[in-house]
Amino acid sequence: MKRLLFLITLIPSILLAQHSIKGTFSPAKEYNFALLYKVTPTLSEYISNTEIDKETGGFEFQLDSTRTKGMYRVVYAIPQEDYNFDIIYNGKEDIELTFNSETGVTFKKSSENKLLASYTNSMSMVTQSIGNYFREESKNTKALKSIFKTQQETQENFEKAAEGMMALDFIKANQPYVPTEFEDLKTYINNLRVHYFDHINFNSKALQSSNFLEEKMLNYVFGMSSEIEDEATVYKNNIDVFHDVLKTTPQGVKRILLVDLWQQMADLGFESVANYISDKYLMPVAKSLNDKDLIDGLTLFKNTSIGRKAPDFTLEIKKDKALVKTQLSALNVAQKYIVVFWSSTCSHCLDEIPQLHSFVNTLEKGDVKVIAVGLEDDPYKWKDLTYTYTSFIHVYGEGRWENKIGNDYGVTSTPTYFILDKDKKFISKPEDFKALKAFFGEEAEEE
């Protein structure tokens, strides 16, 4: 009975047993809060947040006994997908680190994370030695063989040291291609490309729950060059190779990686590559997961891509002093068209729309026509303003953000600009009025 009572008194302390993740951010004044997430292959579970000390940069997260081992992510700014770093938590030890905006994360306490960081640094030094050898165009083949031997031994030693640790998945996956004999630069680079994914286990839960797979994907797609001059074609070929190694990867994980790659291409303006990813790989995944939002988003992006015919809608033009309804596709009054979405309640619009009106009036007559779609909840103020911009074709977009025309063009803010050619195909999507003017300035110079 005494033993039982003793064990009962221990239960609260066992349940409260905890570890911590703590450290410092520098420069301290640049940071305010840190958020902690437990990351799984397809979800990020919010755990906690903490204020970062403005004087010391110090922060701390307490992890109670319910926090299981796995991958955790610290977010320190927005957008969250850009400002974060991953941590391995094995459920057995405290973690202490420093984070510097220039040098990144340095782990002071944590066997898992310190070992992985040591491995990364060691292999980086060997890789640098290989690069120096080829840059110097050395003829000492024995020296290169010695570097490759060091690289192989370093890999083996770290794998042995990581036995039984979560870090082992990352160390194995990072195993580089190591030649068994001398190779010239061209042969070596080609083999790096061929064997790039050899040791990556895309079904590892640890890798799936970190930034690792995403970083490897982007490094390959954007980093592996080719003798092909066309950049878009190089990217498409690299994407084909990457997707081929995803064959046994769960659809949910595949979706995350492909969406990220698609978004990268879209943001960089490689719309043809983004649509290639969508059509060939991502749309089938979205359909298999019955992901309607993703399907709609991919479809909308493709429908408003450069070279595509603009979504049609009804408008009114003056003909024989009367207003006549017609379709955008049927217009034949200019060589180019600017479709601008604006609102009478938008301060930026009220600043830029008058500038647009003045600018277009400086262009050669018959060259450009503006179609101004007012996304509105109330027509009265909008109607009054239309009398000021007499050279525009005005369209009332009833319902504002629920308006079908705006939705068909993927409009999420005002003003938003699109430039169409005489056949109503997208030729540019300027980010703002300054970019719109630059488009016509560059075009004038080419002519």
Side-chain angles (χ1 to χ4, degrees):
M1 180 60 71
K2 287 181 179 180
R3 286 200 191 104
L4 180 59
L5 290 172
F6 176 71
L7 288 173
I8 290 172
T9 60
L10 275 180
I11 288 176
S13 61
I14 293 172
L15 291 176
L16 291 174
Q18 59 186 12
H19 293 290
S20 65
I21 299 174
K22 66 180 181 179
T24 57
F25 281 88
S26 65
K29 62 181 180 180
E30 293 184 4
Y31 304 93
N32 296 308
F33 286 90
L35 291 81
L36 183 67
Y37 292 86
K38 169 73 180 295
V39 187
T40 63
T42 56
L43 293 171
S44 293
E45 177 195 357
Y46 170 78
I47 302 297
S48 170
N49 71 79
T50 185
E51 190 172 354
I52 297 172
D53 189 286
K54 298 301 290 184
E55 298 296 325
T56 65
F59 74 96
E60 183 171 357
F61 295 107
Q62 292 294 328
L63 302 175
D64 62 35
S65 58
T66 65
R67 298 302 170 197
T68 57
K69 70 176 184 178
M71 298 303 302
Y72 287 73
R73 182 166 296 157
V74 175
V75 173
Y76 54 88
I78 54 175
Q80 292 193 13
E81 58 269 21
D82 292 334
Y83 298 99
N84 64 73
F85 54 85
D86 289 343
I87 295 173
I88 299 173
Y89 175 59
N90 60 15
K92 302 175 184 177
E93 59 182 5
D94 293 334
I95 299 169
E96 189 172 343
L97 60 91
T98 60
F99 180 87
N100 181 273
S101 56
E102 297 293 329
T103 58
V105 186
T106 301
F107 289 97
K108 292 189 169 183
K109 186 186 291 185
S110 168
S111 58
E112 294 266 6
N113 293 286
K114 289 179 70 175
L115 181 66
L116 183 56
S118 178
Y119 165 79
T120 302
N121 292 335
S122 298
M123 294 304 281
S124 178
M125 292 173 63
V126 178
T127 302
Q128 188 175 357
S129 297
I130 296 171
N132 291 338
Y133 175 90
F134 284 118
R135 271 191 297 273
E136 294 167 2
E137 298 182 352
S138 173
K139 303 299 181 184
N140 187 349
T141 59
K142 287 185 179 179
L144 184 60
K145 287 181 181 179
S146 176
I147 297 172
F148 285 142
K149 182 181 178 184
T150 299
Q151 190 177 37
Q152 185 61 46
E153 289 175 349
T154 301
Q155 180 69 33
E156 291 171 355
N157 289 337
F158 272 98
E159 286 189 16
K160 186 176 181 181
E163 283 295 337
M165 301 172 72
M166 292 176 62
L168 182 61
D169 278 17
F170 294 90
I171 292 172
K172 281 187 173 181
N174 263 314
Q175 181 175 338
Y177 165 74
V178 183
T180 55
E181 56 186 28
F182 173 80
E183 290 183 352
D184 59 40
L185 179 59
K186 185 176 181 180
T187 302
Y188 178 63
I189 290 176
N190 183 63
N191 281 327
L192 284 178
R193 173 199 293 275
V194 171
H195 297 284
Y196 185 89
F197 295 108
D198 281 3
H199 303 286
I200 300 177
N201 177 10
F202 282 87
N203 290 313
S204 162
K205 294 293 188 289
L207 300 186
Q208 290 174 356
S209 303
S210 71
N211 289 321
F212 181 88
L213 297 180
E214 175 192 356
E215 290 172 358
K216 282 291 186 179
M217 170 188 71
L218 296 178
N219 287 341
Y220 184 85
V221 172
F222 290 102
M224 287 296 174
S225 59
S226 165
E227 294 179 357
I228 301 172
E229 292 184 2
D230 178 38
E231 201 170 15
T233 302
V234 172
Y235 292 155
K236 289 177 183 178
N237 290 341
N238 289 348
I239 290 163
D240 289 340
V241 173
F242 169 69
H243 186 268
D244 194 52
V245 301
L246 293 179
K247 285 180 178 177
T248 62
T249 306
Q251 293 289 77
V253 175
K254 190 184 294 186
R255 176 199 181 281
I256 291 172
L257 292 171
L258 291 175
V259 165
D260 183 66
L261 186 56
W262 175 87
Q263 191 66 60
Q264 291 278 345
M265 293 299 176
D267 291 345
L268 290 170
F270 289 101
E271 292 189 346
S272 66
V273 181
N275 288 326
Y276 178 82
I277 296 169
S278 172
D279 293 343
K280 193 169 183 180
Y281 301 122
L282 187 50
M283 188 65 83
V285 171
K287 289 179 179 178
S288 72
L289 296 172
N290 197 28
D291 191 335
K292 187 178 183 302
D293 288 341
L294 180 55
I295 293 170
D296 291 344
L298 296 174
T299 303
L300 175 61
F301 181 84
K302 184 175 181 178
N303 288 345
T304 56
S305 294
I306 301 299
R308 296 280 295 188
K309 199 103 171 181
D312 213 359
F313 57 87
T314 302
L315 44 79
E316 291 183 331
I317 60 172
K318 283 186 178 180
K319 191 171 184 180
D320 298 329
K321 297 184 179 181
L323 288 176
V324 178
K325 285 188 177 182
T326 186
Q327 299 296 114
L328 170 67
S329 58
L331 274 184
N332 188 25
V333 296
Q335 293 299 305
K336 298 177 194 68
Y337 298 87
I338 298 173
V339 179
V340 57
F341 291 86
W342 69 295
S343 174
S344 61
T345 60
C346 159
S347 60
H348 289 298
C349 301
L350 297 180
D351 176 50
E352 292 190 14
I353 294 301
Q355 295 182 61
L356 175 64
H357 189 257
S358 299
F359 173 70
V360 170
N361 286 339
T362 67
L363 302 177
E364 187 176 338
K365 190 174 181 180
D367 186 33
V368 178
K369 192 67 175 177
V370 175
I371 301 162
V373 183
L375 300 179
E376 307 287 343
D377 291 320
D378 187 324
Y380 300 108
K381 185 177 180 181
W382 166 82
K383 189 65 177 176
D384 287 341
L385 285 172
T386 62
Y387 297 123
T388 306
Y389 314 122
T390 55
S391 65
F392 291 180
I393 296 174
H394 291 282
V395 179
Y396 178 57
E398 185 179 7
R400 201 170 186 183
W401 303 121
E402 300 303 321
N403 179 260
K404 184 179 186 305
I405 304 172
N407 291 342
D408 286 347
Y409 280 73
V411 176
T412 57
S413 64
T414 53
T416 295
Y417 302 95
F418 298 92
I419 303 175
L420 316 178
D421 66 12
K422 64 178 181 179
D423 297 317
K424 320 309 176 305
K425 291 181 179 178
F426 292 103
I427 54 175
S428 182
K429 296 185 284 187
E431 291 183 2
D432 51 30
F433 180 60
K434 183 179 178 181
L436 182 142
K437 287 198 299 182
F439 171 85
F440 286 101
E442 291 171 5
E443 189 175 70
E445 288 177 8
E446 291 174 4
E447 292 175 357

